[in-house]
Coordinates of all heavy atoms in Angstrom, one line a residue:
L36 N -2.8 -0.4 -8.2 CA -1.9 -0.7 -9.2 C -2.3 -1.9 -10.0 O -2.9 -2.8 -9.4 CB -0.5 -1.0 -8.7 CG 0.4 0.2 -8.2 CD1 1.6 -0.3 -7.6 CD2 0.8 1.0 -9.4
G46 N -5.9 8.1 -4.0 CA -6.7 9.2 -3.3 C -6.6 9.1 -1.8 O -5.9 8.2 -1.2
N49 N -11.4 10.9 3.4 CA -11.4 11.6 4.7 C -12.7 11.3 5.4 O -13.9 11.5 4.9 CB -11.4 13.1 4.4 CG -11.0 13.9 5.6 OD1 -11.0 13.4 6.8 ND2 -10.7 15.1 5.4
R51 N -14.7 11.8 8.8 CA -14.8 12.6 10.0 C -15.5 11.9 11.1 O -14.9 11.6 12.1 CB -15.4 13.9 9.7 CG -14.6 14.7 8.7 CD -14.9 16.2 8.9 NE -14.3 17.0 7.8 CZ -13.0 17.4 7.9 NH1 -12.2 17.1 8.9 NH2 -12.5 18.1 6.9
R54 N -15.4 7.2 11.9 CA -14.4 7.0 10.9 C -14.2 5.6 10.6 O -13.9 5.2 9.4 CB -13.2 7.8 11.2 CG -12.5 7.4 12.4 CD -11.3 8.2 12.7 NE -10.9 7.9 14.1 CZ -10.2 8.6 14.8 NH1 -9.9 9.8 14.4 NH2 -9.9 8.3 16.0
D55 N -14.0 4.7 11.6 CA -13.7 3.3 11.3 C -14.8 2.7 10.5 O -14.5 2.0 9.5 CB -13.5 2.5 12.7 CG -12.2 3.0 13.4 OD1 -11.5 3.9 12.8 OD2 -12.0 2.5 14.5
R68 N -15.8 -1.7 -6.8 CA -15.5 -0.8 -8.0 C -14.3 -1.3 -8.7 O -14.2 -1.4 -9.9 CB -15.4 0.6 -7.5 CG -15.1 1.6 -8.6 CD -15.1 3.0 -8.1 NE -14.7 3.1 -6.7 CZ -14.2 4.2 -6.1 NH1 -14.2 5.3 -6.7 NH2 -13.7 4.1 -4.9
P71 N -10.0 -5.8 -7.0 CA -8.6 -6.1 -6.9 C -8.4 -7.6 -6.6 O -9.3 -8.3 -6.2 CB -8.2 -5.3 -5.6 CG -9.4 -5.3 -4.8 CD -10.5 -5.1 -5.8
K82 N 6.5 -4.7 17.8 CA 6.9 -3.4 18.4 C 6.4 -2.3 17.5 O 7.1 -1.9 16.5 CB 8.4 -3.3 18.5 CG 9.0 -4.4 19.5 CD 10.4 -4.2 19.5 CE 11.0 -5.3 20.4 NZ 12.5 -5.3 20.5
P86 N -1.6 3.2 17.1 CA -2.7 3.0 18.1 C -3.4 1.7 17.9 O -3.5 1.1 16.8 CB -3.6 4.1 17.8 CG -2.9 5.1 17.0 CD -1.8 4.4 16.3
R88 N -6.5 1.1 17.8 CA -7.6 1.4 16.9 C -7.1 1.1 15.5 O -7.8 0.4 14.7 CB -8.1 2.9 17.0 CG -9.1 3.2 15.9 CD -9.4 4.7 15.9 NE -8.4 5.4 15.1 CZ -8.4 5.4 13.7 NH1 -9.3 4.8 13.0 NH2 -7.5 6.1 13.1
V95 N -9.7 -5.8 10.7 CA -11.0 -5.7 10.1 C -10.9 -5.7 8.5 O -11.7 -6.3 7.9 CB -11.8 -4.5 10.7 CG1 -13.1 -4.3 9.9 CG2 -12.1 -4.7 12.1
C107 N -5.1 -11.0 1.1 CA -4.6 -9.9 1.8 C -3.2 -10.1 2.2 O -2.8 -11.2 2.7 CB -5.5 -9.6 3.0 SG -4.9 -8.2 4.0
S111 N 5.6 -4.6 5.8 CA 6.2 -3.8 6.9 C 6.9 -2.6 6.3 O 7.3 -2.5 5.2 CB 7.2 -4.6 7.7 OG 8.3 -4.9 6.9
V115 N 9.5 -1.9 3.0 CA 9.4 -0.8 2.1 C 10.8 -0.1 2.1 O 11.3 0.3 1.0 CB 8.3 0.3 2.5 CG1 8.4 1.5 1.7 CG2 6.9 -0.4 2.3
D124 N 13.5 8.8 4.4 CA 12.3 8.9 5.1 C 11.1 8.7 4.1 O 11.3 8.5 3.0 CB 12.1 10.2 5.9 CG 12.2 11.4 5.0 OD1 11.9 11.3 3.8 OD2 12.5 12.5 5.4
A129 N 8.2 9.0 -1.2 CA 7.1 9.7 -1.9 C 7.6 10.3 -3.2 O 7.0 10.2 -4.3 CB 6.3 10.7 -1.1
A131 N 10.4 9.6 -4.8 CA 10.8 8.6 -5.7 C 9.7 7.9 -6.4 O 9.7 7.7 -7.7 CB 11.6 7.5 -4.9
L132 N 8.6 7.7 -5.7 CA 7.4 7.2 -6.3 C 6.8 8.2 -7.3 O 6.3 7.8 -8.4 CB 6.4 6.7 -5.3 CG 6.7 5.5 -4.5 CD1 5.8 5.4 -3.3 CD2 6.6 4.3 -5.3
P141 N 1.8 15.7 -9.0 CA 1.2 16.9 -8.5 C 0.7 16.8 -7.0 O 0.5 17.8 -6.4 CB 0.0 17.2 -9.4 CG 0.4 16.5 -10.7 CD 1.2 15.3 -10.3
P144 N 3.4 15.4 -1.5 CA 3.6 16.5 -0.4 C 5.0 16.9 -0.2 O 5.9 16.1 -0.4 CB 3.0 15.8 0.8 CG 3.3 14.4 0.6 CD 3.2 14.1 -0.9
K151 N 4.8 21.1 11.9 CA 3.5 21.0 11.1 C 2.9 19.7 11.3 O 3.6 18.6 11.6 CB 3.8 21.2 9.6 CG 4.1 22.7 9.3 CD 4.2 22.8 7.8 CE 4.3 24.3 7.4 NZ 4.1 24.4 6.0
S164 N 3.6 2.8 -1.7 CA 4.9 2.1 -1.4 C 4.6 0.6 -1.0 O 5.4 -0.3 -1.3 CB 5.6 2.8 -0.4 OG 5.1 2.8 0.9
A171 N 6.8 -6.2 -6.2 CA 8.2 -6.5 -6.5 C 8.5 -7.9 -5.8 O 9.2 -8.7 -6.4 CB 9.1 -5.4 -6.0
K174 N 6.8 -10.7 -7.6 CA 7.6 -11.1 -8.9 C 8.9 -11.8 -8.6 O 9.1 -12.8 -9.3 CB 7.9 -9.8 -9.6 CG 8.5 -9.9 -10.9 CD 8.6 -8.6 -11.7 CE 9.1 -8.9 -13.1 NZ 9.2 -7.6 -13.9
R177 N 8.0 -15.4 -7.8 CA 7.6 -16.1 -8.9 C 8.8 -16.5 -9.8 O 8.9 -17.6 -10.2 CB 6.6 -15.3 -9.8 CG 5.8 -16.2 -10.7 CD 4.7 -15.4 -11.5 NE 5.2 -15.3 -12.9 CZ 5.6 -14.2 -13.5 NH1 5.5 -13.1 -12.9 NH2 6.0 -14.2 -14.8
D191 N 15.7 -33.9 -12.6 CA 14.9 -35.2 -12.7 C 15.2 -35.9 -14.0 O 15.2 -37.1 -14.1 CB 13.4 -34.9 -12.6 CG 13.0 -34.5 -11.2 OD1 13.7 -34.7 -10.3 OD2 11.9 -33.9 -11.1

Side-chain angles (χ1 to χ4, degrees):
L36 280 175
N49 198 346
R51 296 204 187 274
R54 64 182 168 206
D55 292 356
R68 185 173 33 160
K82 297 177 183 177
R88 177 193 79 80
V95 170
C107 181
S111 68
V115 171
D124 62 24
L132 289 167
K151 289 190 170 188
S164 72
K174 185 174 186 177
R177 199 175 109 245
D191 291 340

